[in-house]
Amino acid sequence: MSNNRTINIGVIGTGGMGGRHVRNLTHEVAAAQVVALMDVDQTRLQEMAAVAGAIHTFTDGNELINHPAVEAVLIAAPDRFHAALTRACIAAGKPVFCEKPLASNAAEAYQVVEAEMAGGRRLVQLGFMREYDPAHVKVKQVIDSGELGKALAFRGVHINPPFGQPRSIEDVITNSVVHDIHSARWLMGDEIERVYTSYVPFHPAQPETARLVLIQFHYRNGAIGEIECNAEGGYGYEVDVKLTGEMGSVQTNSLQSAIVSRANQRGQWVEEDWLQRFDQAYILEARAWIDALQKGISTGPSAWDGYVAMIVADACVESAKCGQPVSIKIPERPAIYK
Ligand code: ISE
């Protein structure tokens, strides 16, 4: 693909996240053209086709992937379809942006990595959008500058809006905590080697569900970490990280809204969900994807990152179930991901 050329995109899944990607690619990324959409929901499909001016609509993901008008694919289908669809894109030799998680477990994620490695070059960018959030980027710059000395600890807090039903421990960890796992690896520049998960179920009679999850962990180089993920915080959406170094700390502050004092109260507005909180990040992420495609490369979070996040996620689920710490062995990063 040569520079400055429009890239023709096919989007699989036009729900909340997919719909946001379609709108961003259409209105916020000059060099992207959404030419094809896939969804099983006809109403949503036609509505989003009108937004994007998309010419081709499908109810089958593989048909979209293999259509000659589609140069690159964005996958925002339900999590359980991510790995197979990403592999189909790799088989078709098309660059692909896949929403997180890359797969339902580490074994399935590794199949994607293997397929990409067989082709000898990166084709996959994964939707760990916090890498494009200006507040997270600042934290990364400060810790990498060395001004705080060696990083000693990572803390992540992740508060979710209600999902409408109790969520299983597997779902909370692979769908939500997977972001925090990626932040923990990316910001600290280190791998996790042992995790211990505690959780509170939605109801004592439903031990397979998780309302609040607390994960403590150790890094390979001696640092420690903690992730708190509330599956239903009851008041809005918040994501924050704090890194502690030898000479200070750096943290995000997701509450950026004005402070209102009135009637013996002082308060701030809290964002409703991730689409509001990470509004800018999703746009910057889409621009970065298209920029890279124009250069004929793939950048940002990789299939490898998606795979390693799933190794850690699987260990967190195992620890929650057995009530014991679980050790992890992260394999050596292959050459195409260095
Ligand atoms: C959702 O799928 C996301 O990706 C959000 O960023 C995350 O905060 C939420 O917990 C997930 O369910």
Side-chain angles (χ1 to χ4, degrees):
M1 290 176 191
S2 62
N3 264 346
N4 298 327
R5 208 170 57 72
T6 300
I7 311 282
N8 292 329
I9 312 290
V11 176
I12 300 180
T14 62
M17 195 63 252
R20 174 61 66 90
H21 284 307
V22 170
R23 287 179 204 278
N24 282 347
L25 288 168
T26 304
H27 303 305
E28 305 284 350
V29 190
Q33 176 80 48
V34 177
V35 295
L37 293 174
M38 177 271 163
D39 208 304
V40 286
D41 182 324
Q42 274 300 329
T43 316
R44 212 158 63 184
L45 185 62
Q46 296 312 326
E47 200 181 302
M48 290 318 297
V51 167
I55 321 162
H56 307 284
T57 53
F58 302 89
T59 50
D60 181 282
N62 286 302
E63 279 180 27
L64 176 145
I65 292 167
N66 292 302
H67 194 282
V70 172
E71 291 175 274
V73 180
L74 187 148
I75 299 169
D79 295 1
R80 64 185 183 283
F81 300 120
H82 288 183
L85 289 168
T86 303
R87 280 200 290 145
C89 294
I90 295 171
K94 297 189 180 178
V96 49
F97 177 99
C98 181
E99 261 308 328
K100 45 50 64 178
L102 178 60
S104 306
N105 54 51
E108 203 183 68
Y110 189 65
Q111 292 176 352
V112 179
V113 163
E114 262 185 332
E116 199 178 37
M117 285 197 302
R121 69 186 178 109
R122 274 192 62 180
L123 283 175
V124 182
Q125 178 175 331
L126 204 66
F128 286 134
M129 77 301 184
R130 295 183 189 176
E131 281 205 27
Y132 300 90
D133 173 52
H136 280 75
V137 170
K138 183 70 192 166
V139 167
K140 177 77 176 150
Q141 279 166 0
V142 170
I143 203 74
D144 284 356
S145 74
E147 65 191 90
L148 303 182
K150 203 173 135 215
L152 305 176
F154 168 92
R155 284 192 190 84
V157 177
H158 185 177
I159 316 282
N160 284 277
F163 275 60
Q165 61 195 29
R167 299 174 65 192
S168 69
I169 180 82
E170 281 88 354
D171 182 53
V172 174
I173 289 179
T174 61
N175 177 272
S176 296
V177 173
V178 73
H179 275 296
D180 310 298
I181 293 172
H182 182 68
S183 295
R185 297 180 56 242
W186 166 61
L187 290 170
M188 296 284 281
D190 198 0
E191 296 294 2
I192 293 169
E193 66 167 19
R194 188 152 39 97
V195 299
Y196 175 62
T197 311
S198 327
Y199 72 104
V200 182
F202 274 80
H203 190 276
Q206 296 175 307
E208 71 290 353
T209 64
R211 165 97 194 229
L212 187 105
V213 178
L214 222 118
I215 298 164
Q216 292 168 312
F217 50 93
H218 287 257
Y219 286 94
R220 226 156 36 183
N221 292 334
I224 53 176
E226 187 176 76
I227 292 168
E228 173 187 336
C229 180
N230 193 330
E232 188 172 325
Y235 68 90
Y237 183 78
E238 278 191 90
V239 167
D240 275 308
V241 292
K242 176 175 181 183
L243 271 69
T244 304
E246 292 166 312
M247 291 175 294
S249 65
V250 55
Q251 63 191 93
T252 61
N253 175 12
S254 65
L255 287 184
Q256 301 288 336
S257 59
I259 300 171
V260 180
S261 302
R262 197 184 146 266
N264 300 95
Q265 284 189 0
R266 178 171 293 176
Q268 276 180 291
W269 179 81
V270 179
E271 269 122 349
E272 246 162 59
D273 60 14
W274 49 93
L275 293 178
Q276 285 183 357
R277 163 69 181 83
F278 291 107
D279 189 17
Q280 273 307 301
Y282 290 122
I283 294 174
L284 296 172
E285 172 189 65
R287 288 188 185 146
W289 182 47
I290 298 298
D291 274 0
L293 295 193
Q294 286 186 316
K295 296 184 184 112
I297 55 172
S298 288
T299 57
S302 65
W304 183 257
D305 291 319
Y307 166 53
V308 175
M310 290 316 296
I311 297 180
V312 179
D314 283 358
C316 292
V317 172
E318 188 187 333
S319 172
K321 292 193 167 169
C322 72
Q324 298 294 322
V326 170
S327 295
I328 307 167
K329 189 125 192 63
I330 305 294
E332 193 53 34
R333 188 183 283 266
I336 70 162
Y337 300 110
K338 282 187 174 143

